[in-house]
Amino acid sequence: TPAASSDCIRRGIVEAILTLSPKSKFTGSSGLVTLILRRLLEDEPTLLTAMETEIRTTIAKLAKKEQGKVGQGDAVPLGAFIEAATPLLCRDTPAFLKAMSLTLKVEDPQASDPRVSLVPVEERAKKAAAINTELPLPAADTTPSKAKLRRSTSGSRRRSSGANRLRNSSK
């Protein structure tokens, strides 16, 4: 979440990652560091834009595979799209659903094998205004959950952060 990312940045995680000794490196470490930094620095609009781009790319690749089928246009089976886009779906479900609703339209949703295609650019602008009011991305949760509330020695409730729990467990 953006709140967790901000917290990590404030606590110096980025600096710690970038100053790791050469002895800490392993095969694939630069890709992992890139992924971590990207996740820490991206915000919702950036993530949404990246997901929309990936969705368009996925549709184009799937349509190219099906190019031999006459009359299909660039509509692809919904099941094939979901299967290909599963990593995006798992990355951030609300952002994926918003990006998908902005980028795709379902053709004949009642069919046994519904197909999806890209929304034309002019239609996308209209959808964006409606979707932003209906499906806002969730803001960082600032309310303490029951799991995050702990009783202090005086019996009153206080919020304990993960960092406090880590500090206390290392003592």
Side-chain angles (χ1 to χ4, degrees):
T1 65
S5 294
S6 295
D7 191 42
C8 286
I9 291 169
R10 273 194 305 276
R11 294 178 186 274
I13 298 297
V14 173
E15 291 84 1
I17 290 172
L18 293 175
T19 58
L20 286 172
S21 75
K23 291 180 182 177
S24 302
K25 293 188 178 183
F26 55 90
T27 303
S29 64
S30 61
L32 184 59
V33 167
T34 302
L35 176 67
I36 291 169
L37 294 177
R38 186 180 329 135
R39 295 270 170 101
L40 287 173
L41 298 175
E42 73 187 7
D43 57 357
E44 280 98 356
T46 304
L47 178 60
L48 188 63
T49 301
M51 284 198 176
E52 288 178 45
T53 301
E54 284 296 319
I55 288 170
R56 285 192 294 273
T57 302
T58 301
I59 291 292
K61 285 178 182 176
L62 290 172
K64 189 174 181 179
K65 276 185 182 177
E66 290 201 346
Q67 194 172 15
K69 296 184 180 179
V70 179
Q72 298 295 332
D74 55 346
V76 299
L78 177 61
F81 168 73
I82 295 296
E83 185 177 327
T86 298
L88 293 174
L89 179 61
C90 293
R91 165 69 178 90
D92 187 321
T93 304
F96 172 77
L97 293 174
K98 188 171 184 179
M100 189 174 139
S101 62
L102 282 169
T103 311
L104 300 178
K105 63 181 175 183
V106 179
E107 298 176 0
D108 195 11
Q110 302 302 323
S112 62
D113 187 21
R115 299 178 73 79
V116 291
S117 62
L118 295 173
V119 171
V121 176
E122 58 277 354
E123 190 179 325
R124 188 200 175 286
K126 293 175 190 173
K127 286 179 86 172
I131 288 172
N132 283 332
T133 55
E134 293 177 26
L135 292 173
L137 288 176
D141 185 16
T142 56
T143 57
S145 66
K146 288 182 182 179
K148 292 182 181 177
L149 288 174
R150 304 283 183 248
R151 295 223 179 256
S152 69
T153 54
S154 65
S156 64
R157 289 187 155 205
R158 64 176 171 79
R159 185 180 178 134
S160 65
S161 70
N164 287 341
R165 286 190 298 271
L166 284 174
R167 247 185 262 125
N168 291 338
S169 68
S170 64
K171 288 181 180 180

